[in-house]
Amino acid sequence: MKAAIFHGLEDIRVEEKEIRPLKENELLIRVKACGICGTDIHIYHGEQGSAPVTPPVVLGHEYAGEVVEIGPGVKDFSVGDYITVDPNMFCGTCEYCRSDKPYLCNHLTALGVNLDGGFAEYSIVPTTQAYKFPKHVSFEEAALTEPLACSLHGSDLAEIKPGDKVAIIGAGAIGLMMTQLAKISGASYILVSEFSKERRELALELGADAAVHPVEEKIDENAFDVVIECAGKIAAMESAIKIAKKGATIVLFSVPSPDAELKVKPFEIFQKELTIKGSFINPFTQKRALDLIASGKVQVKPLISHEFSVDDIHKGLEMQRNPEAIKVVVKP
């Protein structure tokens, strides 16, 4: 098969790769669509993903495809099934796995991070990581189940209550998903802060009440019950603390550079009695995310801005960093 294989710092090569025989409870899927995530960009530039990366490996952890072969012992899947993939796998034995927090697993492994993933014509997927989806959902939409599942975890942590005022900083794919989740959760007012005019307009179409430029337009300080930061920039995180009202919850959702450092005034956190949370991957939210896409309650198709073939993986990675792009999808 043809695969885009990551060999190390800024080194991805499109090569022929042999498909190994299937093991117990594994599926071979023909990959139909795979989203490019910010994590892929971090890994490409030498930074760690959700789990340590050991090249060579096929990246791409947001993907969907069609089952073309089933391995020994497979009972609940058949050739022809459409599936989307939850890439994250837990060891089951570390202290976090045994304390009802397996998503914080000390030995987390992930398809498309340290195991071969979706930037290829075919992928081997354990049945535990596969979710069937109905055929009225496109493969491109289904590929975005994983980022929506991660967004759902962040939204759960935000604990948005009906009537809350919510600010979302950054309107990339995640920020636009968060906008829709805030609306579903009953927010009375949703403000989106974003540099790109096109993204601001899309945020309004998807449920935001206001969409502002973070520099050119002033955002009221001490005004929001919930602030969700999705921009990955230190300035955005500092802004989140300023615009949060007393007693607010702030979710720092984005994945900044591992070396980035945030300057905060502890007194401001004390005085406002702020709750600040991080959000990591997608613990047991994949099925909920898929149901939201299938029902049309969350729209992900408008977020897909560009499509590339595996042969053009370098162009796809570069485009995902471009402010013009929202979500870039690779179609093997």
Side-chain angles (χ1 to χ4, degrees), residues 5 12-13 45 50 55 106 112 129 152 176 186 215 239 243 245 300 304 306 316:
I5 302 174
I12 287 185
R13 306 172 208 166
H45 290 287
S50 58
N106 281 331
Q129 308 310 119
L152 260 177
L176 293 168
V215 176
S239 172
I243 66 176
K245 64 165 45 172
V300 294
I304 300 170
H306 299 80

Side-chain angles (χ1 to χ4, degrees), residues 133-208:
F133 65 89
K135 296 189 177 181
H136 75 269
V137 176
S138 70
F139 287 108
E140 295 83 0
E141 291 170 302
L144 270 61
T145 304
E146 191 272 348
L148 179 57
C150 292
S151 300
L152 260 177
H153 179 49
S155 179
D156 288 346
L157 290 168
E159 300 182 43
I160 299 167
K161 300 182 295 297
D164 277 349
K165 287 181 147 184
V166 178
I168 295 166
I169 303 176
I174 295 296
L176 293 168
M177 290 177 180
M178 288 294 194
T179 299
Q180 297 178 74
L181 293 174
K183 187 175 179 67
I184 290 170
S185 299
S188 64
Y189 180 79
I190 302 168
L191 177 138
V192 173
S193 173
E194 166 59 47
F195 283 95
S196 163
K197 178 183 176 183
E198 290 74 20
R199 292 183 183 187
R200 293 198 302 271
E201 290 174 350
L202 185 53
L204 293 171
E205 291 175 20
L206 294 175

